[in-house]
Amino acid sequence: MAVVSREAQVSRAPIVRVSVNRILLWVVGLGVAALVVWRIAGTAARGLYGPDIWIMQTLNGLVQGSMYALVALGYTMVYGILLMINFAHGEIFMIGAMAGYFVLNGFHQSGLLASDPVLALLLTFVVGMGVPPIVGVLLERIAYRPLRRAPRLVPLICAIGASFFLQQAVRLLFGIRTKVYPTVAVLSGSWTVNVGGRDLRIQHMSALIIVITIILMVALYLLVRKTKIGKAMRAVAEDKEAAALMGIDVDWVIMITFAIGSALAGAAGVMWGLWYKQVIHTVGFIPGIKAFTSAVLGGIGNIPGAMMGGLFLGFVEAIAPTALDISTQLKDVISFGLLVIVLIFRPSGILGEVLSGKKA
Amino acid sequence: MALLEVENIHTYYGSIHALKGISITVDKGEIVTLVGANGAGKSTTLNTICGVLKPRHGEIRLNGELLNALKPHEIVAKGISQAPEGRRIFSRLTVMENLEMGAYARSDRREIAKDLERVFAIFPRLKERARQVGGTLSGGEQQMLAIARALMARPRVLLLDEPSMGLAPILVQEIFSVIREINQQGTTILLVEQNVNMALQIAQRGYVLETGRVALQGSAKELRENPRVRAVYLGETLHA
Amino acid sequence: MKKWFVVVLIVTLALMLLPWGVLAAPPGQEGKIYTLGPRETLSLIAAREYGNVLAYPAIVYYNNLAAQTNPQLTKITDPNAVKPGDVILLPTADQVKAYLAGERVGPAKGDAPPDDLWGVVTIGPGEPVRIGFAAALSGAGVDVLGLDEKRGAELAVADRPTLAGHPVELVVEDDLCSGEGGTAVANKFVADPTIVAVVGNMCSSSSIPASDIYEKAGYTMVSPSSTAVAFTARGLRSANRVCWSDAIQGPAAAKFVYEKLGIRKVATIHDGSPYGEGLVNAFAEGFKALGGEVVAQEAVSVGDTDMRPVLTKISVTGPELIYFGGFVAEGAFLASQRVDVGIEKVIFMGADGIKADDFIKAAGAAAEGAYASAADLATAGPGVNAFLAKYEATYGEKPPAPFHLHAYDAVNVIMDAIYASAVQGPDGTLWIGREALNRAIRATSGYQGLSGVITCQPNGDCGTGTVAMSKVVNGQWVPAE
């Protein structure tokens, strides 16, 4: 979409105008960057926060960022293949969180969580990653496939509608009350590390989340790079018609893409529940928006970009209010401001390649 | 019975009546060429055979089996593959991966490996560049890759759409000799070409399409000698 | 035989069509004038005169009604603070019985709709009196507060299902606890001329923008729980509430923290809502006035889940207590993530926005020892126990949040005001002048509700303002003192 508007700009305005605009943007961007550096230097000079605080905030950011990144992968994969923003993806995440809740809560009540927590958690992840793909694939089949040849805004609107539908469906099926994940005893502890004379606590749960995220990311990378279906996904993303002419069942590949993206979002949903405890039918909205932001930040359509974008966004959200010494309430302003700045300097995202006009 | 039979197909782009009853046949082992001006319906014919476009009327048969209702990937599995116009290789995939995609519909690993050997024997340049991504290849190499990729499906009929387009004359020669070589190894080829002269030199038979209809057909020799073909296609297009 | 049946049927139908309200004996100004003796309370009199301690609100009601025309009588603004020598009217036993059954004096009889500056709601014979209800019924951490209020309002209607021969209907809308939601619901209600008045909104974030819309349309709202100072501080006649203002709650909490807990250094966090911000400011001012130090003032946003960054940031300032203005979800995230950043020894305190069972459920073990200020049930009116029993029987659980009583009272205040201000035609048609209704609500005085005594100030603050502190002990909210 960005490409279209830039081309439109070029065709309408003389070249000189455009470059003046760009210079202006660069000046604004550099100004903001200078301001940020100045604030950080100020905070550092005051020495209010010790190294333990910085490590803590970084860790907070990585955990949060891991979840953003896993959800962002779904956005970016679907965009890569269909050039469409699946705005219902946040709801897929929510369904993962909900499914995880019902399983883990069931194990909690049956006592399995206490007697065999590893098995209980494993099964929770299996279900939490198993249910969302069913919904994701149905969504693709029912809501998006019939619109594949429609103008690009149509499936986008449809996605927003699907998002409301899923949210309200879960609300009607499972009620409006907040669901609280049971505490997992084996994961509720923490390691204490002494940093600069102060105790730093590292949650077992945060380690688990980061490790699972890394495993899933590596698995996805190998899948996309090394397997036949992964290569087919890349081929379809590049040229659907040529892929079909090679004997690739494009519909099937798109379905698999939705399924994989949904499974990753489901995993993030379960982690979200384990980490933040409370889930509700609206829980997918904000992470959905943030993950979408991450995907754009990293370069939408680009898988390593989504991973990086998510981690980066989580990191900035956690550390920026401390580093800039401003109210935590402003963290969303910071993260979206960051998005704007990144897009000024790199319109196609951090790792995004310049899209060819053909696709936009 | 011919290997590939296209019988009286009518294809539309929206409301535009692009193919108005085209019938062609391709026998086993032949090179058959479709020639004609831009917009005559050559690529449309290939795309209709491949299932990318659906004919509103008419029948397409491979070995007597009706293909009309099949999806493109199912048609590939039946034995028709295409090196499409403009090559359309996967520029972000490596040469090797491109070739693997060509064999996507197959699961006979040992045979695929054999075909890979064969393709590399025909196109030694591709073997050298197997690990490069497609986008870094030159135009001629990309065309070779497109043909090689289509061959990896081990097609019963290979469709080639404008293989010489945009290539330097020396490369055009090379491509055509490769096409002949592939044919001699036993692959049946349906060739669409604007370079009518070259096409009629390597083909056994040909069809001249004009505005969605078959205007002329016959052996390559007959067509080469046809005064109208000489005037319209061999005379002018050579300089174009 | 068949003929007989038809006759009975027709007679029955005809009887049903008769305007029964006219046939019923009008409750007059009977009863006796009585002067209170030393140490006499209204409950004592109620027990002696009517054999029912719980009948004293009826005395207040009939007395205050008569006091409007009879200057000899003392108007009761607080049933718990009557003095010897006060001259009051004791209603008849029948009147008391009618009062306890939900009957009130009125509506006035008339043949034509009254003139009213703000317009008249006409309710035809048999048509329902429709009262709007707006609260957050979805949304993490606020849904439970809204659900609880809705149940309180529903039980009020269940207790008094009819009003002057008309069924009472609650029109429930979800305002999402947001400005947009409050505005949307308000626009929906003002577009519906049959809505008489509105119970709501729950959150100040919804109430404040909604009150502007109601003000223009001549609607009156009675909020059970919008405690933000700003809600009633803008001189609007539409805005009324039966709860306290945070100008009371914040300083009360500050006093408790400084004097009872002996804490001198606090950090405050609010959720960016008008309620949270107003409350925290009132608390901080009160705390500083007492001589305490506010070492950090932070804010998060509604919907935030990761509180570790803000807690980490606060941790370096070394507060002894974190005071939070906001709701269950964010409160529980803060309380539980406190442990993760190693400041679980810092006490967590919130207000009525978190005093719900869901807070304990969501924060788990970290909720233990947390404080919250909320309505003081010790000063609550009679009938609370009966109400709670009915609540549990109806919904299968104890009230999960603090404002069910206020919602119950809000409905009753509106219904009483309708009796006092409406005009009823001979066929039973009810005409309710919106401005008259507003005046009647503002005139509420000494009404003994479940949440306490409700007496409206000129600004629309009608609640008692008695705040009590609670603490989580063994996974339960219990009184802190």
Side-chain angles (χ1 to χ4, degrees), chain C residues 15-28:
Chain C
L15 282 173
M16 283 171 74
L17 285 173
L18 277 176
W20 285 101
V22 178
L23 292 183

Side-chain angles (χ1 to χ4, degrees), chain A residues 170-172 174-179 280-281, chain C residues 136-140 143-144 147:
Chain A
V170 170
R171 175 186 174 174
L172 287 176
F174 305 115
I176 59 167
R177 296 288 286 270
T178 306
K179 320 267 180 298
I280 191 167
H281 61 275
Chain C
L137 299 173
S138 58
D143 50 7
V144 64
L147 183 71

Side-chain angles (χ1 to χ4, degrees), chain C residues 2 30 70 98 110 159 193 195 198 212 222 235 330 357 368 381 448 458:
Chain C
K2 198 176 168 191
E30 305 135 41
N70 186 348
D159 279 354
I195 301 287
V198 179
D212 289 323
V222 179
E330 293 78 20
D357 293 343
E368 204 61 24
Q448 180 63 63

Side-chain angles (χ1 to χ4, degrees), chain C residues 98-126:
Chain C
Y99 180 89
L100 293 177
E103 290 290 316
R104 298 293 182 268
V105 176
K109 301 282 171 255
D111 295 328
D115 286 332
D116 194 281
L117 270 176
W118 296 357
V120 175
V121 187
T122 304
I123 300 165

Side-chain angles (χ1 to χ4, degrees), chain C residues 29-369:
Chain C
Q29 291 235 345
E30 305 135 41
K32 58 180 180 185
I33 309 278
Y34 182 82
T35 308
L36 283 171
R39 287 193 305 278
E40 261 190 328
T41 66
L42 291 183
S43 335
L44 279 176
I45 295 168
R48 190 180 67 219
E49 297 281 328
Y50 313 110
N52 182 358
V53 185
L54 301 185
Y56 75 83
I59 305 178
V60 179
Y61 175 74
Y62 283 102
N63 175 70
N64 285 356
L65 204 65
Q68 288 172 9
T69 50
N70 186 348
Q72 187 197 348
L73 296 172
T74 313
K75 191 174 166 192
I76 305 173
T77 52
D78 184 350
N80 303 311
V82 287
K83 300 179 302 294
D86 281 356
V87 180
I88 60 170
L89 177 85
L90 296 183
T92 64
D94 284 348
Q95 283 176 325
V96 169
K97 215 168 138 196
Y99 180 89
L100 293 177
E103 290 290 316
R104 298 293 182 268
V105 176
K109 301 282 171 255
D111 295 328
D115 286 332
D116 194 281
L117 270 176
W118 296 357
V120 175
V121 187
T122 304
I123 300 165
E127 284 174 10
V129 175
R130 303 179 83 222
I131 298 175
F133 173 87
L137 299 173
S138 58
V142 287
D143 50 7
V144 64
L145 302 173
L147 183 71
D148 189 46
E149 286 190 9
K150 180 172 152 246
R151 289 170 173 176
E154 280 171 356
L155 287 177
V157 173
D159 279 354
R160 293 170 75 179
T162 60
L163 196 164
H166 295 265
V168 177
E169 187 191 327
L170 208 59
V171 184
V172 177
E173 289 288 344
D174 182 359
D175 68 14
L176 307 167
C177 191
S178 70
E180 306 87 85
T183 310
V185 172
N187 280 324
K188 193 169 172 187
F189 280 157
V190 300
D192 182 347
T194 65
I195 301 287
V196 178
V198 179
V199 176
N201 295 28
M202 173 176 122
C203 296
S204 302
S205 338
S206 308
S207 292
I208 292 170
S211 60
D212 289 323
I213 294 168
Y214 292 132
E215 183 78 10
K216 283 201 196 91
Y219 276 48
T220 301
M221 64 197 287
V222 179
S223 170
S225 57
S226 294
T227 56
V229 179
F231 177 50
T232 56
R234 296 161 303 142
L236 297 186
R237 285 185 65 185
S238 62
N240 304 278
R241 62 180 160 210
V242 293
C243 53
W244 58 81
S245 150
D246 288 333
I248 297 168
Q249 182 170 219
K255 195 158 175 261
F256 175 79
V257 170
Y258 190 87
E259 290 175 359
K260 289 271 163 43
L261 300 180
I263 279 171
R264 297 293 176 265
K265 283 166 84 174
V266 299
T268 64
I269 304 177
H270 67 77
D271 67 351
S273 67
Y275 158 72
E277 194 169 355
L279 178 64
V280 157
N281 288 342
F283 172 86
E285 274 166 37
F287 196 69
K288 281 187 236 167
L290 289 166
E293 189 191 351
V294 180
V295 293
Q297 285 190 292
E298 267 289 349
V300 295
S301 302
V302 174
D304 277 359
T305 48
D306 195 3
M307 305 299 181
R308 290 171 185 86
V310 67
L311 289 168
T312 307
K313 208 175 149 194
I314 280 182
S315 69
V316 298
T317 62
E320 298 165 81
L321 178 140
I322 294 172
Y323 186 78
F324 171 64
F327 297 101
V328 169
E330 293 78 20
F333 285 132
L334 280 166
S336 61
Q337 293 171 25
R338 213 163 36 122
V339 182
D340 303 347
V341 300
I343 54 167
E344 67 272 17
K345 291 205 181 68
V346 178
I347 296 167
F348 186 77
M349 181 168 188
D352 39 16
I354 68 158
K355 205 206 148 219
D357 293 343
D358 279 20
F359 169 78
I360 300 173
K361 233 167 80 188
E368 204 61 24

